[in-house]
Amino acid sequence: MTFRSIACALLALLPLNIAQSETDLAPSGAGPLLGYSAETVAPQRAVEKKFQERVSAANIRENMRRLSARPHHVGSAYDKDNAEWILAKFKTWGFDAKIERFDVLFPTPKIRVLEMLQPTHFTASLQEPAVAGDPTSSQTAEQLPTYNAYSADGDVTARLVYVNYGSREDYDRLDRLGISVKGAIVIARYGQGWRGIKPKVAAEHGAIGCIIYSDPKGDGYFQGDEYPAGGWRPKDGVQRGSVMDTDYPGDPLTPGVGATPDAKRLALKDAKTITKIPVLPISYSDALPLLKALKGPIAPEEWRGALPITYHIGPGPAQVHLQVVSNWDIKPIYDVIAVLHGSQAADQWVMRGNHHDAWVNGAEDPISGQAAMLEEARVMGELHAQGWTPKRTIIYCAWDGEEPGLLGSVEWVETHIAELQKHAISYLNSDSNGRGYMFPGGTQDLGSFISGVARDVQDPETHLSVYQRAHLASIAAAKTSEDRNEARKRSDLVVEALGDGSDFTAFQDFAGISTLSVEFGDEEDGTEYHSIYDDFYWFTHFSDMDFVYERALSQTAGTAMLRLADADFVPVDYAPQAEAIAKYVDELEKLLKDKQVEFTERNLELKEGVFEAIKDPRKPIGPPPAEIVPPYMNFAPLKNSVEALRKSADRYSSALASLQALGSPMLSTPALESLNADLLSVSRLFLNPKGLPERPWFKNQVYAPGAYTGYGAKPIAAVREYMDQKKWKEAEAQVPQVAQVLANVAAGIDKAAADLESGLPKAH
Ligand SMILES: [Zn+2]
C-alpha cells in the first residue's frame, strides 16, 4: 500500500520532459535490439508494431467471459470443455496443437466439519453464499467446496490456540510465553508466507489439526469495501488452496517422472507431500466465534488482526472438533500444447505458458493471464497467415492442474525433460494479471532483454512506457539514498529471483531453462483470491475493467515471444545475472555475520539478566533460549567463482558492445550456429543432477524456493537452507559444489564470448 501511494505521488510531481532528459529512455520502437543485426532489426520492429496494434482488448474480454463462465477445477466438466475450446482456437489460428493428458492424484472434499464444543456450541457454515447481481456466484452445483487440497484425513477434538501466521518465529514467541500447541488444534491467519507452511510447522510443533482463516486486516474491510460494494473479501469469503508440501511439486504419486498411464505410482501412504495433520480454510465469520472464545495471554500487537475483539492466544477454553476426509481420486488433466514451427532454427524452442484450471470460476486467477495469452497466439496466427514465420519454434502451453500443485506443467516437463534440455531457449510464464506496474521475475540473463521489451510497450493509463513506470517506481520504493542512486543508475529493470508458486517452477528449478514471469499489478481495488467471487463480474467491476492492462500483458509477452523467436542469436546478457548472483553470495555472508552478532548479544543479555529484569512480573514471558554462536564459514570458493562469473559476463557484454560499435553487422551462419548452441547450454549449467541436499527434485543450485518459504525464492538454497536451520557445518560443506556450478557457468559464458569475438569482423 505504502509503496503504491508513494509511487503515485512521485509520478504526479514529475516534470513532463523527464523522458527527453534521460538518454536510456529512447522513444519506443527505435534503436538497436539485442541479438539482432542492422539488417534484421527494421523488419523485426515492423512485425512487432503490427503485432501490438492488432492485440484487441475486446477479444481478451470475450476470452475471459467464455473461460470463466462456469467453475473449471481439475476433474470438472468445464475444465475439459475449456481445454477443448482452447485447442480448437489454437488450431484455427494455424498452430500445430494437441492435448496431452496426465492422470494425477487430486483429492476433493468428502466430509468437512468444524464445530466449537466448549464453552458454547457453534457450527461453522463453511459456505460462500451467492451474491445478488453476480450471476456466476450462484453456480452452487458445480462449485468445489472450500477446502485445502492434500490435507491429511483426520477427525480431531482439542483445545484451540491462536498462532498468528503460524510461522516458525511465531512458535518461538509461543515458547517464550510458555504456550505449547502439543495435542492442540491451531488457528492461523492467512498471509506472510505460503499457506502450506502453516500446517507443516504446526505439525512439527505437535499440533493435531490446523485451521486457516482470512482476517479482514489482510484482504477484507480493513483494506477497502467488501464485495459487492467494493472488491475486497466479504465476511463469508474463503481462500481455497493447496497445502501440498514442498519436497517436490506435481503429482504426489509420481515424483520426478511424468504421470503417464504406465508410470509407476507410489502408494498413497508413501506420498511425502500430503500434510501430516488435517487442515481446513475458513472465512472470518466462521473464525470470529472461535477467536472470541479464546482466553489466556493477549496476543502481541503485531499478532492482532482487524476483527472487533481483543485477540487472545489461548490455549482454550475454546474446544473445537475438526474433521476432514477427502475422496482420494486419480483425475485426468489436460495440457494444451500448441506449436508454431520455426523456419530456420526449428530445433530451438521459445516457450510460453499460463494455466487454465481454477479453484472456481477464476476470472483473475488464472483467466486474466490465459485470456491475454490466447490473444497473443491469435495475432501471431494472423501474422503467420499473412506470410510471417518465426525463425525459432514457438510453443504455447495452456496448463491444467496448476492450482493443486503445478500438476500440468510439472508432469509435462518431467515427461519431456530430454527434449526440453536439448531444445528450449526460454520459458515465459504469466498467471494472474491486474492493473498497475510490471515487475519481472526470473533468471537475470533475460533482464536486459525484458527491459528492452518494456521500453517498447506503452502503459495504457499513464502513457509512459512500461519500462519508465517500473523504473521510476523502483526509485520511489528505494529506502535509502544509496538504493535510490543505484535505482537511478540502472538501465535495466531488476528481475526478482523466482522460487515456486506458478508453472515456471519445473522449467527453472528442474530443467535449467532461462525463465521470465511477467504480470501487471498492485493497483487493483481488492482481491477475491481462490473464492467463488473471483469471477467475471468481480473482474469487470474492480480490476482491469477496460481490459487495457490485459492488452498490455498481451503486448508485452507477445513482443517478448516474437523478439526471442526471431533474434539472430539468443538475446541474453549475463552482466545483470552475475551481479544478482554476487548479491546472493553477499547475502549469505551477511546472514552469517548477523547471526553471530545476534546470538552473541543474546547470550550476553541472558548472562546479564536483561530478560528477567525487563519483563512485567504480572505478565510472565520467558527468555529466549541461549544459542551457540555460529563459527566462521569459508565462502572463498563461492567468491572466487563469482569473480570468474563476473569476468566472463563482462567479456560477453564487451563483445556485444563491440558488435554494436561496428554497426551490428550480420554474423556468418557458422558463427551464429555455434554461438546459439553455446548460449542455449549456459542455463543448463546451473543444475546439479543430485539436486538440493534435502530436496533432490530441485536441481538448480542458484534458483530455488525455500523449504519454509513456499513461493518465495531462497537463492543458493543448498547453503542457505542449512544456515537457516543453524546447521553451519552442513552449510559450509555445500559451498564447494555450488562454487563448482558457478565456475561451470562462467566457463560456458566464456565459450559463448569466444564465439562472439571470433565472429566479429576483423578491425582494419
Ligand atoms: Zn494461478
Side-chain angles (χ1 to χ4, degrees):
M1 286 307 111
T2 347
F3 166 69
R4 184 196 308 171
S5 44
I6 293 170
C8 290
L10 183 91
L11 291 170
L13 293 173
L14 283 175
L16 284 173
N17 64 356
I18 185 92
Q20 286 108 47
S21 70
E22 290 204 21
T23 48
D24 60 25
L25 302 179
S28 66
L33 290 178
L34 183 59
Y36 285 78
S37 70
E39 62 188 89
T40 53
V41 70
Q44 178 62 21
R45 286 203 175 276
V47 170
E48 291 178 5
K49 185 162 180 275
K50 232 188 255 175
F51 171 85
Q52 289 198 12
E53 283 167 1
R54 292 183 188 185
V55 172
S56 150
N59 286 347
I60 302 173
R61 182 187 163 96
E62 187 48 31
N63 290 345
M64 180 181 287
R65 197 198 53 71
R66 142 82 219 189
L67 291 167
S68 66
R70 284 167 53 191
H72 53 105
H73 53 271
V74 166
S76 67
Y78 207 60
D79 176 76
K80 183 163 191 247
D81 199 86
N82 272 347
E84 283 162 358
W85 184 81
I86 293 167
L87 174 70
K89 285 286 175 191
F90 275 119
K91 283 185 171 166
T92 326
W93 300 329
F95 283 72
D96 184 0
K98 62 174 173 191
I99 284 180
E100 286 192 49
R101 173 184 162 161
F102 297 98
D103 296 295
V104 295
L105 179 70
F106 179 62
T108 52
K110 191 165 166 183
I111 303 173
R112 300 170 307 142
V113 177
L114 175 63
E115 53 184 344
M116 180 161 66
L117 308 175
Q118 295 290 341
T120 52
H121 195 269
F122 165 76
T123 304
S125 85
L126 311 178
Q127 302 290 338
E128 295 185 294
V131 156
D134 173 345
T136 63
S137 67
S138 59
Q139 295 168 328
T140 325
E142 287 183 281
Q143 290 165 353
L144 205 47
T146 54
Y147 79 123
N148 287 130
Y150 305 101
S151 157
D153 288 350
D155 186 354
V156 290
T157 300
R159 71 224 153 96
L160 190 67
V161 179
Y162 175 59
V163 296
N164 192 27
Y165 293 110
S167 69
R168 287 189 293 179
E169 293 71 30
D170 292 330
Y171 287 93
D172 291 345
R173 186 73 175 244
L174 288 172
D175 281 347
R176 292 188 59 191
L177 290 165
I179 296 171
S180 164
V181 301
K182 218 169 168 60
I185 294 173
V186 302
I187 181 165
R189 54 175 164 156
Y190 266 117
Q192 260 191 23
W194 179 59
R195 78 179 77 75
I197 302 303
K198 300 170 196 281
K200 175 178 173 162
V201 178
E204 285 172 0
H205 284 82
I208 58 169
C210 178
I211 303 163
I212 313 176
Y213 81 102
S214 297
D215 196 285
K217 193 162 189 182
D219 58 10
Y221 58 70
F222 187 82
Q223 301 291 342
D225 288 326
E226 290 186 348
Y227 193 64
W232 295 92
R233 196 182 297 278
K235 69 179 171 54
D236 296 308
V238 179
Q239 182 188 137
R240 291 162 187 73
S242 175
V243 286
M244 183 193 275
D245 202 358
T246 49
D247 283 30
Y248 54 89
D251 177 24
L253 303 184
T254 60
V257 298
T260 51
D262 55 342
K264 241 182 95 185
R265 285 176 166 75
L266 296 176
L268 184 57
K269 64 172 176 43
D270 298 325
K272 271 171 74 183
T273 52
I274 294 161
T275 64
K276 304 283 181 287
I277 56 175
V279 44
L280 194 67
I282 62 173
S283 66
Y284 81 72
S285 70
D286 276 344
L288 183 57
L290 310 181
L291 291 168
K292 213 173 174 171
L294 285 176
K295 291 215 164 67
I298 292 173
E301 196 171 335
E302 325 79 83
W303 284 37
R304 299 172 201 163
L307 290 170
I309 52 166
T310 301
Y311 284 71
H312 288 262
I313 298 175
Q319 193 178 49
V320 296
H321 169 219
L322 171 68
Q323 190 184 7
V324 177
V325 179
S326 292
N327 302 298
W328 293 93
D329 296 332
I330 303 279
K331 290 275 167 67
I333 53 171
Y334 306 97
D335 290 341
V336 188
I337 309 294
V339 182
L340 196 57
H341 296 281
S343 58
Q344 293 170 31
D347 61 344
Q348 293 174 28
W349 300 352
V350 175
M351 304 193 62
R352 169 86 174 95
N354 197 111
H355 68 104
H356 68 77
D357 68 300
W359 279 117
V360 197
N361 297 74
E364 180 186 64
D365 183 6
I367 299 305
S368 58
Q370 181 66 231
M373 184 179 89
L374 291 178
E375 178 62 1
E376 286 165 48
R378 183 194 69 80
V379 180
M380 261 178 222
E382 197 175 284
L383 294 173
H384 183 52
Q386 294 168 3
W388 166 83
T389 300
K391 276 187 191 158
R392 297 188 175 80
T393 293
I394 287 178
I395 305 180
Y396 273 80
C397 312
W399 307 116
D400 199 353
E402 190 271 355
E403 292 297 357
L406 319 179
L407 305 173
S409 57
V410 168
E411 298 313 317
W412 192 85
V413 168
E414 289 175 345
T415 303
H416 296 278
I417 184 71
E419 307 156 75
L420 265 176
Q421 294 196 321
K422 223 164 122 193
H423 301 299
I425 295 283
S426 59
Y427 174 74
L428 196 166
N429 194 70
S430 57
D431 195 323
S432 303
N433 192 56
R435 296 178 56 243
Y437 306 93
M438 187 194 81
F439 296 107
T443 55
Q444 296 86 5
D445 52 339
L446 291 169
S448 301
F449 167 78
I450 194 65
S451 304
V453 171
R455 281 190 176 86
D456 294 336
V457 179
Q458 195 183 60
D459 178 89
E461 292 186 356
T462 64
H463 305 300
L464 296 164
S465 73
V466 165
Y467 171 84
Q468 281 171 302
R469 209 165 179 230
H471 171 70
L472 294 171
S474 74
I475 295 171
K479 291 195 178 74
T480 64
S481 61
E482 200 179 307
D483 288 353
R484 253 188 304 282
N485 285 337
E486 202 203 301
R488 270 195 190 99
K489 267 192 280 174
R490 289 195 79 93
S491 58
D492 60 344
L493 301 174
V494 172
V495 172
E496 293 292 343
L498 299 173
D500 195 343
S502 192
D503 293 306
F504 52 77
T505 305
F507 287 88
Q508 176 189 271
D509 302 348
F510 184 77
I513 292 163
S514 295
T515 295
L516 279 174
S517 159
V518 295
E519 282 161 11
F520 290 83
D522 213 30
E523 293 184 331
E524 306 83 10
D525 190 13
T527 175
E528 301 296 342
Y529 182 60
H530 292 182
S531 92
I532 64 166
Y533 312 117
D534 173 8
D535 60 16
F536 190 68
Y537 182 89
W538 175 86
F539 193 89
T540 51
H541 286 78
F542 300 105
S543 187
D544 184 24
M545 289 90 103
D546 309 319
F547 288 74
V548 289
Y549 282 96
E550 287 285 279
R551 184 165 187 262
L553 175 61
S554 267
Q555 291 175 323
T556 307
T559 301
M561 289 298 288
L562 293 173
R563 207 172 274 187
L564 281 162
D566 283 341
D568 302 324
F569 59 91
V570 183
V572 284
D573 183 4
Y574 299 103
Q577 189 167 37
E579 183 202 327
I581 293 170
K583 221 178 95 202
Y584 303 149
V585 171
D586 288 348
E587 283 167 8
L588 294 179
E589 279 195 295
K590 187 172 178 300
L591 178 65
L592 178 67
K593 211 171 185 178
D594 289 351
K595 287 291 161 197
Q596 287 172 330
V597 170
E598 182 193 334
F599 292 164
T600 305
E601 174 65 25
R602 183 193 293 181
N603 292 349
L604 181 62
E605 290 181 18
L606 282 168
K607 220 167 116 191
E608 290 169 332
V610 169
F611 297 100
E612 281 303 310
I614 61 167
K615 76 176 183 204
D616 178 344
R618 293 187 187 175
K619 294 178 193 158
I621 177 162
E627 294 278 2
I628 295 165
V629 177
Y632 287 98
M633 285 171 60
N634 180 15
F635 291 110
L638 264 177
K639 297 185 79 167
N640 288 328
S641 288
V642 164
E643 269 323 292
L645 188 63
R646 265 202 180 119
K647 257 193 209 138
S648 307
D650 286 348
R651 181 179 169 194
Y652 189 78
S653 297
S654 311
L656 285 175
S658 308
L659 191 67
Q660 205 180 312
L662 290 163
S664 303
M666 179 64 108
L667 303 180
S668 69
T669 307
L672 280 177
E673 275 175 6
S674 82
L675 176 58
N676 275 318
D678 284 340
L679 292 173
L680 182 142
S681 66
V682 170
S683 58
R684 253 53 112 209
L685 299 170
F686 282 88
L687 305 180
N688 177 341
K690 286 196 213 138
L692 297 179
E694 291 179 1
R695 289 178 294 157
W697 187 90
F698 292 90
K699 312 290 184 203
N700 199 309
Q701 297 300 307
V702 171
Y703 304 102
Y708 287 87
T709 52
Y711 292 169
K714 274 272 161 100
I716 319 188
V719 179
R720 171 122 199 192
E721 290 266 282
Y722 278 131
M723 293 178 72
D724 288 344
Q725 297 168 37
K726 298 178 236 174
K727 293 181 178 168
W728 314 105
K729 282 230 150 39
E730 288 87 342
E732 189 167 19
Q734 291 297 318
V735 166
Q737 70 87 12
V738 181
Q740 186 56 54
V741 162
L742 295 183
N744 297 346
V745 173
I749 296 172
D750 256 340
K751 205 157 162 249
D755 287 336
L756 197 52
E757 287 160 0
S758 65
L760 293 179
K762 303 285 167 278
H764 295 290

